[in-house]
């Protein structure tokens, strides 16, 4: 058995407080993309980060593999997707406990090589009240090779009746979101590393930030926080490339996507109900 399989079933807890400053930083970073109302959906991704000393970090700025999450023998890490069940919002002044369980770990063969998937379950509570349940999937990949076939995403289909918002991700926006989430992943701020080591076309927009944009558009359209919100990463969104956050009616709720305008490709999709 792979040693990493021993991680399945491991559970741990962490605590954090939603300060007024953190809530204000979140709203300021989202700016016009923040939904109306007092709730700040997806604020939980700014809570309970892994806090390690520099000596405990890997080459990518994340905690070294094998400390917080298992070492799958694969170099690159990205958010693959997830599902959020919202029972009630999170608000400034509250003390939050996050309980995490590593539910699954599996390997697959992709067109660019071996992939490793880690599935985490997070439960966010205030006192004894469960506020948010989340299943998060992280994907690990091999380093790019010179003979790796280029990934050419399919062009987005036309959504003629979609509600939409324009967004231009900038390096300042990415830096502030990284700081607010204590995310040291170098693909979001270190251009030479992102392009020269991990093979991206520029700085990469955070997966959770893209999901947050779609969640907040869904909130404004539906007039409430969706009880269920599922999202899936499809292609990297690169900094300084204009994008559209789009939504259209679907059975039981909304279908949403993040579309990079110039290339007309979908970088993340979601459903809300």
């Amino acid at each position: 058995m792979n040693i990493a399989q021993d991680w399945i079933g491991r559970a741990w807890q962490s605590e954090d407080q939603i300060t007024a400053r953190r809530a204000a930083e979140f709203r300021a970073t989202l700016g016009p993309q923040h939904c109306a109302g007092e709730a700040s959906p997806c604020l939980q991704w700014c809570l309970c980060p892994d806090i390690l000393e520099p000596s405990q970090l890997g080459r990518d700025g994340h905690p070294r593999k094998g400390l917080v999450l298992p070492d799958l023998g694969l170099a690159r890490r990205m958010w693959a997707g997830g599902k959020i069940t919202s029972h009630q919002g999170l608000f400034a002044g509250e003390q939050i406990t996050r309980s995490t369980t590593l539910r699954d770990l599996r390997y697959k063969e992709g067109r660019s090589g071996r992939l490793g998937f880690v599935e985490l379950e997070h439960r966010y509570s205030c006192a004894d009240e469960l506020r948010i349940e989340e299943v998060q999937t992280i994907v690990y990949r091999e380093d790019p090779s010179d003979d790796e076939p280029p990934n050419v995403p399919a062009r987005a289909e036309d959504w003629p009746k979609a509600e939409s918002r324009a967004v231009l991700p900038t390096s300042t926006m990415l830096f502030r979101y990284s700081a607010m989430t204590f995310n040291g992943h170098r693909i979001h701020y270190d251009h030479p590393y992102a392009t020269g080591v991990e093979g991206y076309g520029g700085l990469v927009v955070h997966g959770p930030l893209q999901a947050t944009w779609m969640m907040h558009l869904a909130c404004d359209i539906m007039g409430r926080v969706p009880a269920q919100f599922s999202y899936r990463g499809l292609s990297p969104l690169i900094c300084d490339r204009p994008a559209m956050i789009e939504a259209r009616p679907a059975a039981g709720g909304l279908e949403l996507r993040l579309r990079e305008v110039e290339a007309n490709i979908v970088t993340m999709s979601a459903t809300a109900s």
Side-chain angles (χ1 to χ4, degrees), residues 95-137:
Q95 186 77 18
I96 302 299
T97 299
R98 185 183 73 184
S99 301
T100 299
T101 303
L102 198 153
R103 298 203 321 185
D104 193 21
L105 189 160
R106 61 192 182 278
Y107 290 95
K108 292 183 179 179
E109 287 296 327
R111 62 190 301 273
S112 59
R114 199 180 195 203
L115 304 172
F117 294 85
V118 173
E119 186 176 275
L120 301 173
E121 179 185 69
H122 303 297
R123 294 167 64 88
Y124 295 85
S125 302
C126 180
D128 294 325
E129 183 180 36
L130 179 63
R131 299 291 184 82
I132 296 170
E133 298 175 82
E134 177 187 358
V135 176
Q136 174 196 2
T137 303

Side-chain angles (χ1 to χ4, degrees), residues 10-25:
R10 291 195 188 187
W12 60 95
Q13 282 191 348
S14 52
E15 294 187 354
D16 208 341
Q17 185 176 22
I18 307 174
T19 64
R21 171 177 169 170
R22 178 169 292 163
E25 288 174 347

Side-chain angles (χ1 to χ4, degrees), residues 11-47:
W12 60 95
Q13 282 191 348
S14 52
E15 294 187 354
D16 208 341
Q17 185 176 22
I18 307 174
T19 64
R21 171 177 169 170
R22 178 169 292 163
E25 288 174 347
F26 185 78
R27 285 181 173 271
T29 300
L30 290 188
Q33 309 307 335
H34 195 288
C35 64
E38 293 300 317
S40 288
C42 301
L43 178 61
Q44 73 271 14
W45 289 330
C46 302
L47 304 176

